[in-house]
Amino acid sequence: MRRIEKVREDVRRQHAQRIGELSQALDEAWRLLDAVRPPGTDRAVDTLRATHTDLRKAG
């Protein structure tokens, strides 16, 4: 039982770390996209911004 709990804890920690890495990568992608296509300059990108508002960090 202890071994199973240890594995669960390890997997949870790994998941949390990976989610953090993916969130950072997504934030960087949006920063780059915002630099290349500022709001109001590309309708398709503006649509993506609106669609993914819940995924973007308030900033």
Coordinates of all heavy atoms in Angstrom, one line a residue:
M1 N 0.8 -1.2 0.0 CA 0.0 0.0 0.0 C 0.9 1.3 0.0 O 0.6 2.2 -0.7 CB -0.9 0.0 1.3 CG -2.3 0.3 1.1 SD -3.1 0.0 -0.4 CE -4.4 1.1 -0.2
R2 N 1.9 1.2 0.8 CA 2.8 2.4 0.9 C 3.5 2.6 -0.5 O 3.7 3.8 -0.9 CB 3.9 2.2 2.0 CG 3.4 2.6 3.3 CD 4.5 2.5 4.3 NE 4.0 1.6 5.3 CZ 4.8 0.7 6.0 NH1 6.1 0.7 5.8 NH2 4.3 -0.1 6.8
R3 N 3.9 1.5 -1.1 CA 4.5 1.7 -2.4 C 3.6 2.3 -3.5 O 4.0 3.1 -4.2 CB 5.0 0.3 -2.9 CG 5.7 0.3 -4.2 CD 6.2 -1.1 -4.6 NE 6.6 -1.1 -6.0 CZ 7.9 -0.9 -6.4 NH1 8.8 -0.8 -5.5 NH2 8.1 -1.0 -7.7
I4 N 2.3 1.9 -3.4 CA 1.3 2.5 -4.3 C 1.2 3.9 -4.1 O 1.1 4.7 -5.0 CB 0.0 1.7 -4.2 CG1 0.1 0.3 -4.8 CG2 -1.1 2.5 -4.9 CD1 -1.1 -0.6 -4.5
E5 N 1.1 4.3 -2.8 CA 0.9 5.7 -2.5 C 2.2 6.5 -2.9 O 2.1 7.7 -3.4 CB 0.7 5.9 -1.0 CG -0.7 5.6 -0.6 CD -1.7 6.4 -1.3 OE1 -1.6 7.7 -1.5 OE2 -2.7 5.8 -1.8
K6 N 3.4 5.9 -2.8 CA 4.6 6.6 -3.2 C 4.6 6.8 -4.7 O 4.9 7.9 -5.2 CB 5.8 5.7 -2.8 CG 7.1 6.2 -3.4 CD 7.7 7.4 -2.6 CE 9.1 7.6 -3.0 NZ 9.3 8.7 -3.9
V7 N 4.1 5.8 -5.5 CA 4.0 6.0 -6.9 C 3.0 7.0 -7.3 O 3.3 7.9 -8.2 CB 3.7 4.6 -7.6 CG1 3.3 4.8 -9.0 CG2 4.8 3.6 -7.4
R8 N 1.9 7.1 -6.6 CA 0.9 8.1 -6.9 C 1.4 9.5 -6.6 O 1.2 10.4 -7.4 CB -0.3 7.9 -6.0 CG -1.2 6.8 -6.5 CD -2.4 6.6 -5.6 NE -3.3 5.5 -6.0 CZ -4.2 4.9 -5.3 NH1 -4.4 5.4 -4.1 NH2 -4.9 3.9 -5.8
E9 N 2.1 9.7 -5.5 CA 2.7 11.0 -5.2 C 3.7 11.4 -6.3 O 3.8 12.5 -6.7 CB 3.4 10.9 -3.8 CG 2.5 10.8 -2.6 CD 3.2 10.6 -1.3 OE1 4.4 10.8 -1.3 OE2 2.5 10.2 -0.4
D10 N 4.6 10.4 -6.7 CA 5.6 10.7 -7.7 C 4.9 11.1 -9.0 O 5.3 12.1 -9.7 CB 6.4 9.5 -8.0 CG 7.4 9.2 -6.8 OD1 7.6 10.1 -5.9 OD2 8.0 8.1 -6.8
V11 N 3.8 10.4 -9.4 CA 3.1 10.7 -10.6 C 2.5 12.1 -10.5 O 2.5 12.9 -11.5 CB 2.1 9.6 -11.0 CG1 1.2 10.1 -12.1 CG2 2.8 8.3 -11.4
R12 N 1.8 12.4 -9.4 CA 1.2 13.7 -9.2 C 2.3 14.8 -9.3 O 2.0 15.9 -9.9 CB 0.5 13.8 -7.9 CG -0.8 13.0 -7.8 CD -1.5 13.2 -6.5 NE -2.6 12.3 -6.4 CZ -2.8 11.4 -5.4 NH1 -1.9 11.2 -4.4 NH2 -3.8 10.6 -5.4
R13 N 3.4 14.6 -8.7 CA 4.5 15.6 -8.8 C 5.0 15.8 -10.2 O 5.1 16.9 -10.6 CB 5.6 15.2 -7.8 CG 6.7 16.3 -7.7 CD 7.8 15.9 -6.7 NE 7.8 14.7 -6.0 CZ 8.3 13.5 -6.4 NH1 8.9 13.5 -7.6 NH2 8.2 12.4 -5.7
Q14 N 5.1 14.7 -10.9 CA 5.6 14.8 -12.3 C 4.5 15.5 -13.2 O 4.9 16.3 -14.0 CB 5.8 13.4 -12.9 CG 7.1 12.7 -12.3 CD 7.2 11.3 -12.6 OE1 6.3 10.7 -13.3 NE2 8.3 10.6 -12.2
H15 N 3.3 15.2 -12.9 CA 2.2 15.9 -13.7 C 2.2 17.4 -13.4 O 2.1 18.2 -14.3 CB 0.8 15.3 -13.3 CG 0.3 14.2 -14.2 ND1 -0.6 13.3 -13.8 CD2 0.7 13.9 -15.4 CE1 -0.8 12.5 -14.8 NE2 -0.1 12.8 -15.8
A16 N 2.3 17.7 -12.1 CA 2.3 19.2 -11.8 C 3.5 19.9 -12.4 O 3.4 21.0 -12.9 CB 2.4 19.3 -10.3
Q17 N 4.7 19.2 -12.4 CA 5.9 19.8 -13.1 C 5.6 20.0 -14.6 O 5.9 21.0 -15.1 CB 7.1 18.9 -12.8 CG 8.3 19.5 -13.4 CD 9.5 18.6 -13.2 OE1 9.5 17.6 -12.4 NE2 10.7 19.0 -13.8
R18 N 5.1 19.0 -15.2 CA 4.8 19.0 -16.6 C 3.8 20.1 -17.0 O 4.0 20.8 -18.0 CB 4.4 17.6 -17.2 CG 4.3 17.6 -18.6 CD 5.7 17.7 -19.3 NE 5.5 17.6 -20.7 CZ 6.3 18.2 -21.6 NH1 7.2 19.0 -21.2 NH2 6.1 18.0 -22.9
I19 N 2.8 20.2 -16.2 CA 1.8 21.2 -16.4 C 2.4 22.6 -16.3 O 2.1 23.5 -17.1 CB 0.6 21.1 -15.4 CG1 -0.2 19.9 -15.8 CG2 -0.3 22.3 -15.4 CD1 -1.3 19.5 -14.8
G20 N 3.3 22.8 -15.4 CA 4.0 24.1 -15.2 C 4.8 24.4 -16.4 O 4.8 25.5 -17.0
E21 N 5.5 23.4 -16.9 CA 6.4 23.6 -18.1 C 5.5 23.9 -19.3 O 5.9 24.8 -20.1 CB 7.2 22.3 -18.4 CG 8.2 22.0 -17.4 CD 8.8 20.6 -17.5 OE1 8.3 19.8 -18.3 OE2 9.7 20.3 -16.7
L22 N 4.4 23.2 -19.5 CA 3.5 23.5 -20.7 C 2.9 24.8 -20.6 O 2.7 25.5 -21.6 CB 2.5 22.4 -20.8 CG 3.0 21.0 -21.2 CD1 1.9 19.9 -21.0 CD2 3.5 21.0 -22.6
S23 N 2.5 25.2 -19.4 CA 1.9 26.6 -19.2 C 2.9 27.7 -19.5 O 2.6 28.7 -20.2 CB 1.5 26.8 -17.7 OG 0.4 25.9 -17.4
Q24 N 4.2 27.5 -19.1 CA 5.2 28.4 -19.5 C 5.4 28.5 -21.0 O 5.6 29.6 -21.6 CB 6.5 28.1 -18.8 CG 6.5 28.4 -17.3 CD 7.9 28.0 -16.7 OE1 8.7 27.3 -17.2 NE2 8.0 28.4 -15.4
A25 N 5.4 27.3 -21.6 CA 5.6 27.3 -23.1 C 4.4 28.0 -23.8 O 4.6 28.7 -24.8 CB 5.7 25.9 -23.6
L26 N 3.2 27.8 -23.3 CA 2.1 28.4 -23.9 C 2.1 29.9 -23.7 O 1.8 30.7 -24.6 CB 0.8 27.8 -23.3 CG -0.5 28.4 -23.9 CD1 -0.6 28.1 -25.4 CD2 -1.7 27.7 -23.1
D27 N 2.5 30.4 -22.5 CA 2.6 31.8 -22.3 C 3.7 32.4 -23.2 O 3.4 33.5 -23.8 CB 3.1 32.1 -20.8 CG 2.0 31.7 -19.8 OD1 0.8 31.6 -20.2 OD2 2.4 31.6 -18.6
E28 N 4.8 31.7 -23.4 CA 5.8 32.3 -24.3 C 5.3 32.3 -25.8 O 5.5 33.3 -26.5 CB 7.1 31.4 -24.2 CG 8.2 31.8 -25.2 CD 8.7 33.2 -24.9 OE1 8.5 33.8 -23.8 OE2 9.3 33.8 -25.8
A29 N 4.6 31.3 -26.2 CA 4.0 31.3 -27.5 C 3.1 32.5 -27.7 O 3.1 33.2 -28.8 CB 3.3 30.0 -27.8
W30 N 2.2 32.8 -26.7 CA 1.3 33.9 -26.8 C 2.1 35.2 -26.8 O 1.7 36.2 -27.6 CB 0.3 33.9 -25.7 CG -0.9 33.0 -26.0 CD1 -1.2 31.9 -25.4 CD2 -1.9 33.3 -27.0 NE1 -2.4 31.4 -26.0 CE2 -2.8 32.2 -27.0 CE3 -2.1 34.3 -28.0 CZ2 -3.8 32.1 -27.9 CZ3 -3.1 34.2 -28.9 CH2 -4.0 33.1 -28.8
R31 N 3.2 35.3 -26.0 CA 4.0 36.6 -26.1 C 4.6 36.8 -27.4 O 4.5 37.9 -28.0 CB 5.1 36.5 -25.0 CG 4.7 36.9 -23.6 CD 5.9 37.1 -22.7 NE 6.6 35.8 -22.4 CZ 6.3 34.9 -21.5 NH1 5.2 35.1 -20.8 NH2 7.0 33.9 -21.4
L32 N 5.1 35.7 -28.0 CA 5.6 35.8 -29.4 C 4.6 36.2 -30.4 O 4.8 37.1 -31.3 CB 6.3 34.5 -29.8 CG 7.6 34.2 -29.0 CD1 8.1 32.8 -29.4 CD2 8.7 35.2 -29.3
L33 N 3.4 35.6 -30.3 CA 2.3 35.8 -31.2 C 1.8 37.3 -31.1 O 1.6 38.0 -32.0 CB 1.2 34.9 -31.0 CG 0.1 34.8 -32.0 CD1 0.6 34.5 -33.4 CD2 -0.9 33.8 -31.7
D34 N 1.8 37.7 -29.8 CA 1.4 39.1 -29.6 C 2.4 40.1 -30.1 O 2.0 41.2 -30.6 CB 1.2 39.4 -28.1 CG 0.0 38.7 -27.5 OD1 -0.9 38.3 -28.3 OD2 -0.1 38.5 -26.2
A35 N 3.6 39.8 -30.1 CA 4.7 40.6 -30.7 C 4.6 40.7 -32.2 O 4.8 41.8 -32.8 CB 6.1 40.2 -30.2
V36 N 4.3 39.6 -32.8 CA 4.3 39.5 -34.3 C 3.0 40.0 -34.8 O 2.9 40.7 -35.9 CB 4.5 38.0 -34.7 CG1 4.4 37.9 -36.2 CG2 5.9 37.6 -34.3
R37 N 1.9 39.7 -34.1 CA 0.6 40.1 -34.5 C -0.2 40.8 -33.4 O -1.0 40.1 -32.7 CB -0.3 38.9 -35.0 CG 0.3 38.2 -36.2 CD 0.0 38.9 -37.5 NE 0.2 38.1 -38.7 CZ 1.4 38.1 -39.3 NH1 2.4 38.8 -38.9 NH2 1.5 37.4 -40.4
P38 N 0.1 42.1 -33.1 CA -0.5 42.8 -32.0 C -2.0 42.7 -32.1 O -2.6 42.6 -33.3 CB 0.0 44.2 -32.1 CG 1.3 44.1 -32.9 CD 1.1 42.9 -33.9
P39 N -2.7 42.8 -31.0 CA -4.2 42.8 -31.1 C -4.7 43.9 -32.1 O -4.2 45.0 -32.1 CB -4.6 43.2 -29.6 CG -3.4 42.7 -28.8 CD -2.2 42.9 -29.6
G40 N -5.7 43.5 -32.9 CA -6.3 44.4 -33.8 C -5.6 44.4 -35.2 O -6.1 45.0 -36.1
T41 N -4.6 43.6 -35.4 CA -3.9 43.6 -36.7 C -4.2 42.4 -37.5 O -3.8 42.4 -38.7 CB -2.3 43.8 -36.5 OG1 -1.9 42.6 -35.8 CG2 -2.0 45.0 -35.8
D42 N -4.7 41.4 -36.9 CA -5.0 40.1 -37.6 C -6.2 39.5 -37.0 O -6.3 39.1 -35.9 CB -3.8 39.2 -37.4 CG -3.9 37.9 -38.3 OD1 -5.0 37.3 -38.3 OD2 -2.9 37.5 -38.9
R43 N -7.3 39.4 -37.9 CA -8.6 39.0 -37.4 C -8.5 37.5 -36.9 O -9.1 37.2 -35.9 CB -9.6 39.1 -38.5 CG -11.0 38.7 -38.1 CD -12.0 38.7 -39.1 NE -12.2 40.1 -39.5 CZ -13.1 40.5 -40.3 NH1 -13.9 39.7 -40.9 NH2 -13.3 41.8 -40.6
A44 N -7.8 36.7 -37.6 CA -7.7 35.2 -37.2 C -7.0 35.1 -35.8 O -7.5 34.3 -35.0 CB -6.9 34.5 -38.2
V45 N -5.9 35.9 -35.6 CA -5.3 35.8 -34.3 C -6.2 36.4 -33.2 O -6.2 35.9 -32.1 CB -3.9 36.5 -34.4 CG1 -3.2 36.5 -33.0 CG2 -3.0 35.8 -35.4
D46 N -6.9 37.5 -33.5 CA -7.8 38.1 -32.6 C -8.9 37.1 -32.2 O -9.3 37.0 -31.0 CB -8.5 39.3 -33.1 CG -7.5 40.5 -33.2 OD1 -6.4 40.4 -32.5 OD2 -7.8 41.5 -33.9
T47 N -9.3 36.3 -33.2 CA -10.3 35.2 -32.9 C -9.7 34.2 -31.9 O -10.4 33.7 -31.0 CB -10.8 34.6 -34.2 OG1 -11.4 35.6 -35.0 CG2 -11.8 33.5 -33.9
L48 N -8.5 33.8 -32.2 CA -7.8 32.8 -31.3 C -7.7 33.4 -29.9 O -7.9 32.7 -28.9 CB -6.4 32.5 -31.8 CG -6.3 31.6 -33.0 CD1 -4.9 31.4 -33.4 CD2 -6.9 30.2 -32.6
R49 N -7.4 34.7 -29.8 CA -7.3 35.3 -28.5 C -8.6 35.2 -27.7 O -8.6 34.9 -26.5 CB -6.8 36.8 -28.6 CG -5.4 37.0 -28.9 CD -5.1 38.5 -28.9 NE -3.7 38.7 -29.3 CZ -3.3 39.0 -30.5 NH1 -4.2 39.2 -31.5 NH2 -2.1 39.1 -30.8
A50 N -9.7 35.6 -28.4 CA -11.0 35.5 -27.8 C -11.4 34.1 -27.4 O -11.9 33.9 -26.3 CB -12.0 36.2 -28.8
T51 N -11.1 33.2 -28.3 CA -11.4 31.8 -28.0 C -10.7 31.2 -26.9 O -11.2 30.4 -26.1 CB -11.2 30.9 -29.3 OG1 -11.9 31.5 -30.4 CG2 -11.6 29.5 -29.1
H52 N -9.4 31.6 -26.7 CA -8.6 31.0 -25.7 C -8.4 32.0 -24.4 O -7.4 31.7 -23.7 CB -7.2 30.7 -26.3 CG -7.4 29.6 -27.3 ND1 -7.1 29.8 -28.6 CD2 -7.8 28.3 -27.2 CE1 -7.4 28.7 -29.3 NE2 -7.8 27.8 -28.5
T53 N -9.2 32.9 -24.3 CA -9.1 33.8 -23.1 C -8.9 33.1 -21.8 O -8.1 33.4 -21.0 CB -10.3 34.8 -23.0 OG1 -10.3 35.5 -24.3 CG2 -10.2 35.7 -21.9
D54 N -9.7 32.0 -21.6 CA -9.7 31.3 -20.4 C -8.4 30.5 -20.2 O -8.0 30.2 -19.0 CB -10.9 30.3 -20.3 CG -10.9 29.3 -21.4 OD1 -10.4 29.6 -22.5 OD2 -11.3 28.1 -21.2
L55 N -7.6 30.3 -21.2 CA -6.3 29.6 -21.1 C -5.2 30.5 -20.9 O -4.1 30.1 -20.5 CB -6.1 28.8 -22.4 CG -7.1 27.7 -22.7 CD1 -6.7 27.0 -24.0 CD2 -7.1 26.7 -21.6
R56 N -5.4 31.8 -21.2 CA -4.3 32.8 -21.1 C -4.3 33.4 -19.7 O -5.3 33.6 -19.1 CB -4.5 33.9 -22.1 CG -4.4 33.4 -23.5 CD -4.4 34.5 -24.5 NE -3.1 35.2 -24.5 CZ -2.9 36.3 -25.1 NH1 -3.8 36.8 -25.9 NH2 -1.7 36.8 -25.1
K57 N -3.1 33.6 -19.2 CA -2.9 34.2 -17.8 C -3.3 35.6 -17.9 O -3.0 36.3 -18.9 CB -1.5 34.1 -17.3 CG -1.1 32.7 -16.9 CD 0.2 32.6 -16.3 CE 0.6 31.2 -15.9 NZ 2.0 31.2 -15.4
A58 N -4.0 36.1 -16.9 CA -4.3 37.6 -16.8 C -2.9 38.3 -16.7 O -2.1 37.9 -15.9 CB -5.2 37.9 -15.7
G59 N -2.7 39.3 -17.5 CA -1.4 39.8 -17.4 C -1.4 41.2 -17.9 O -0.5 41.9 -17.8

